[in-house]
Amino acid sequence: MSEDAPGAVRRDRFSGGPARGFLSSLASDARIFEADLAVDRAHVVMLAEQGIVEDAVAGEILGALAAVAEAGHSSLSDGEDVHEAIETAVIAEIGAAGGKMHTARSRNDEVATCLRYRLRGDLLDAAETTLRLREVLAETAAEHTETVMPGYTHLQPAQPTTVAHYLLSYESAVARDTGRLLDAYSRVNESPLGAAAFAGTPFDVDRERTAELLGFDGLVENSMDAASARDFLLEATGALATHAVTLSGLAEDLVVFANKGYVDLADDYSSTSSIMPQKKNPDTLELVRSVAGDAVGGLSALLTTLKGLPRAYNRDLQNAHPHAFDAVDAVVEATEVTAGAVATATWETQALRDAAAEGFATATGVADLLAMAGLPFRTAHEIVAEAAAESAGTPDLATLDAVTEAVVGDSLFDHVSRDAVERALDPVESVASRDSVGGPAPAAVSAALDTVRGGVAEDAETVERRRTALADARARLDREVARYD
Ligand code: ARG
């Protein structure tokens, strides 16, 4: 129907001029079409239960909403937004009585409710993809507890570690990302409905009831806060951007490792050059790396849009939430791709092992050994540093002994056995010796793996429980709506 049909919302008071399209969010509101229908249904059921709207009228409105649901978002006529367009469609279907749907509410509490309704599902999707990535990191780590690799600081070889220890470092970070997404969910899942424009309503609305019908855990109570708050978008987008930054570090490492021949990315996660026939490029992970730019940009746009907005509602808010939804889409996709890339990559065990011995990466272990024998660590550090300066690569025992003589006046072997020094110089032994909690020794990593698996299972349960609660609420709302058939 056209905007000037009888009964259209707000008739032609503002028919819109050149700015009509500029004002409209109808296209991007496709994201909250389903949410708006649910919010409309819950509101109408509550209005009927409270005796604010007659049951028969409620039944007609709910029937019209079913027709709108059936026809889909694309069937809506032009309008400022999905809320107005759905109301217009209801009025077109059943006449002026359809105008009772908007009793005791405003688009301000309506849109805030729709955003929260939709975003909570998106957050669960995002959390779930982080779980998949954590599983892949843990599974791959389990295969590589003994795969020694160089560890870096400043991108310089630092100390040998293992592929498992490296991968679990990312699992730990992604686990915190999951936690932040699930934390954000708790504050997203509160209902602003019933706040009306911001100032409440004289109608005897039951806010707890609409919250329950929509599966919210509680209310955003203060009506002015309820209509204007968008910090839930900030929190969710902040969690997504943080996770995207985690992914970008992992992606960057894998690009570097592929370059060094430490890891071979599956063809599915690589690309070729249109001119250089020999090339196999890590394009997919480069794009993952770039998604942090999108998410951080979205967060920054959101913060900037919200900064300094006066109470209570301002139309700027219409431009705020797309940044959050764009971040959801980009980050969820990047997480899935990263999980796929890690799951299909081949770690080049021999190349990693060889590289772990390069650059005297076991130097710290030799110093530790001397310190464990009783030398002050600073003196031990000096001996090993001097030996490193005198040798091209890893110093031999004779050099270490000579330097010890020069620094402390007796033989290296007065302090430690030949065998112990040889072991300290060996990357595999070096890793095995660092068995402190959270360290890279295979025993320590195996213990960490148990904790990791427990953590993933626990978070998976939380996601599942929340999904079930949302599905139960949808079924409950359907049942209540059916009573008006
Ligand atoms: N589409 C609008 C939004 O997303 C709905 C609220 C309009 N409210 C108003 N007072 N003009 O924010």
Side-chain angles (χ1 to χ4, degrees):
M1 71 172 273
S2 75
E3 186 66 9
D4 57 2
V9 174
R10 295 188 292 148
R11 308 279 166 102
D12 288 330
R13 187 163 159 222
F14 297 103
S15 57
R20 195 178 167 78
F22 185 68
L23 262 180
S24 176
S25 60
L26 188 60
S28 64
D29 283 349
R31 183 98 184 191
I32 51 169
F33 174 70
E34 296 291 338
D36 197 57
L37 289 168
V39 170
D40 285 344
R41 286 193 186 107
H43 183 65
V44 169
V45 166
M46 182 277 293
L47 290 177
E49 288 174 353
Q50 295 296 100
I52 299 169
V53 160
E54 308 84 325
D55 283 2
V57 172
E60 279 187 75
I61 296 173
L62 293 168
L65 287 172
V68 173
E70 181 73 24
H73 180 264
S74 60
S75 74
L76 294 173
S77 64
D78 257 12
E80 273 192 20
D81 53 35
V82 70
H83 322 291
E84 187 192 87
I86 289 180
E87 192 185 341
T88 299
V90 168
I91 294 170
E93 179 90 7
I94 64 171
K100 293 200 172 188
M101 180 169 79
H102 209 56
T103 310
R105 74 171 187 192
S106 150
R107 280 186 297 162
N108 297 353
D109 60 339
E110 187 180 359
V111 68
T113 312
C114 293
L115 299 177
R116 289 166 180 271
Y117 184 96
R118 170 67 209 226
L119 188 58
R120 60 192 188 178
D122 285 327
L123 284 177
L124 293 182
D125 290 346
E128 203 160 287
T129 57
T130 65
L131 293 180
R132 169 78 190 122
L133 174 58
R134 286 163 63 190
E135 272 163 15
V136 165
L137 289 167
E139 280 162 25
T140 314
E143 292 163 19
H144 289 288
T145 55
E146 315 256 347
T147 307
V148 170
M149 71 177 279
Y152 297 88
T153 59
H154 313 278
L155 216 50
Q156 301 290 329
Q159 287 187 274
T161 183
T162 66
V163 169
H165 189 239
Y166 165 77
L167 292 174
L168 289 191
S169 79
Y170 271 103
E171 195 286 332
S172 302
V174 180
R176 289 191 296 276
D177 294 340
T178 311
R180 274 182 281 268
L181 291 165
L182 295 176
D183 285 351
Y185 182 97
S186 333
R187 275 171 298 277
V188 168
N189 198 28
E190 295 173 334
S191 176
L193 197 61
F198 74 87
T201 168
F203 288 96
D204 181 24
V205 292
D206 185 345
R207 294 191 61 192
E208 299 282 356
R209 177 63 169 151
T210 44
E212 183 202 14
L213 289 170
L214 293 168
F216 288 108
D217 288 331
L219 301 182
V220 186
E221 198 167 303
N222 179 287
S223 62
M224 192 180 294
D225 178 38
S228 46
R230 293 294 185 276
D231 50 297
F232 72 93
L233 293 177
L234 284 178
E235 208 176 341
T237 311
L240 290 161
T242 303
H243 176 51
V245 168
T246 306
L247 293 180
S248 74
L250 174 57
E252 164 67 2
D253 276 347
L254 293 174
V255 168
V256 171
F257 293 166
N259 171 273
K260 288 174 180 280
Y262 296 168
V263 74
D264 185 28
L265 300 170
D267 289 354
D268 282 351
Y269 292 92
S270 307
S271 189
T272 52
S273 162
S274 60
I275 174 170
M276 297 166 281
Q278 86 287 9
K279 295 276 277 175
K280 175 175 167 181
N281 298 323
D283 295 43
T284 309
L285 289 166
E286 289 164 2
L287 285 169
V288 167
R289 192 170 60 187
S290 80
V291 165
D294 298 335
V296 172
L299 175 61
S300 168
L302 193 49
L303 283 160
T304 315
T305 304
L306 299 181
K307 179 200 166 292
L309 284 186
R311 283 279 184 272
Y313 178 87
N314 302 274
R315 197 58 172 265
D316 313 49
L317 294 180
Q318 177 168 288
N319 269 357
H321 54 83
H323 296 299
F325 291 126
D326 288 350
V328 168
D329 293 342
V331 176
V332 165
E333 191 180 21
T335 309
E336 283 165 356
V337 165
T338 305
V342 173
T344 54
T346 307
W347 291 86
E348 302 293 355
T349 312
Q350 191 55 50
L352 286 161
R353 170 78 184 72
D354 294 347
E358 282 165 13
F360 191 19
T362 52
T364 310
V366 178
D368 285 337
L369 181 70
L370 289 172
M372 283 170 120
L375 284 181
F377 181 77
R378 197 46 61 213
T379 307
H381 186 280
E382 188 189 337
I383 292 170
V384 180
E386 187 56 37
E390 285 182 18
S391 325
T394 299
D396 55 21
L397 299 198
T399 306
L400 281 165
D401 189 30
V403 175
T404 308
E405 222 24 277
V407 175
V408 292
D410 55 15
S411 166
L412 172 67
F413 307 113
D414 289 337
H415 300 275
V416 290
S417 74
R418 203 165 267 281
D419 183 49
V421 180
E422 265 161 7
R423 272 188 279 118
L425 289 170
D426 177 59
V428 175
E429 297 285 350
S430 164
V431 166
S433 73
R434 279 173 277 124
D435 59 357
S436 50
V437 172
V445 169
S446 296
L449 266 170
D450 289 342
T451 313
V452 162
R453 291 190 178 112
V456 172
E458 201 176 300
D459 287 346
E461 251 173 56
T462 303
V463 169
E464 200 43 49
R465 200 171 49 245
R466 289 176 178 178
R467 283 210 195 278
T468 306
L470 296 185
D472 288 352
R474 279 195 300 276
R476 193 181 321 126
L477 181 57
D478 284 348
R479 279 198 305 278
E480 294 299 335
V481 167
R483 296 178 46 208
Y484 296 85
D485 275 355

